Amino acid sequence: MGRSVITRGKLAGYRYSPGVVVSDTAYLAGHFGVDGDGRLVSEDVAAQGRRALENLGATLDAAGMGLGDVVSMRVWLVTYDEMPQFDAVYGEFFPQDPPARTAFMVDRLPLGARVELDAIAVRGSARVDIRLS
């Protein structure tokens, strides 16, 4: 079982892989709300969050997966006060059966970003068969 490296969306000047796929699992590095030139799309956490989720989706698409395959996500914010704005956008992308999620508050993020996202996705997990309670 080998691994495939996803290079789509790699930010210049940083030594990392945006994603690595092993078998049916994709491990995605931190994604930001940046445009194709690596610049933040806005100072607003909601706009950055929306673009970060879109960028994450594009990286997954390069691996033959989609946001529905995300099983776990970590959210990094510079202030908890912005969680409600980010969460509203997050709900647009995951209106039901969202992935497991952990949020962290940090002093600062690269690029001066307000939010960063990383995720784990499993191919074919978009279909929810049963609910455990």
Side-chain angles (χ1 to χ4, degrees):
M1 163 183 9
R3 70 182 197 157
S4 301
V5 175
I6 305 166
T7 58
R8 179 252 152 247
K10 185 176 187 314
L11 293 173
Y14 293 92
R15 189 168 170 77
Y16 76 108
S17 299
V20 175
V21 179
V22 178
S23 187
D24 287 331
T25 304
Y27 301 89
L28 302 181
H31 282 62
F32 299 98
V34 295
D35 62 20
D37 294 322
R39 287 181 287 218
L40 292 172
V41 295
S42 171
E43 293 296 316
D44 177 67
V45 71
Q48 284 186 27
R50 179 173 281 105
R51 186 58 179 260
L53 286 160
E54 291 168 353
N55 290 342
L56 199 80
T59 302
L60 284 167
D61 187 59
M65 297 184 206
L67 287 173
D69 292 310
V70 174
V71 296
S72 179
M73 185 174 294
R74 292 187 297 185
V75 178
W76 309 83
L77 294 161
V78 294
T79 175
Y80 192 74
D81 294 341
E82 293 180 333
M83 188 62 171
Q85 296 94 312
F86 171 77
D87 208 38
V89 171
Y90 188 82
E92 295 172 17
F93 287 79
F94 300 105
Q96 61 183 18
D97 301 318
R101 182 178 81 181
T102 303
F104 299 91
M105 303 312 126
V106 295
D107 183 48
R108 63 183 179 159
L109 291 168
L111 310 173
R114 308 295 304 164
V115 62
E116 179 179 3
L117 310 173
D118 66 35
I120 298 172
V122 178
R123 188 182 325 276
S125 66
R127 192 172 127 230
V128 177
D129 292 323
I130 60 171
R131 293 180 189 268
L132 302 175
S133 54

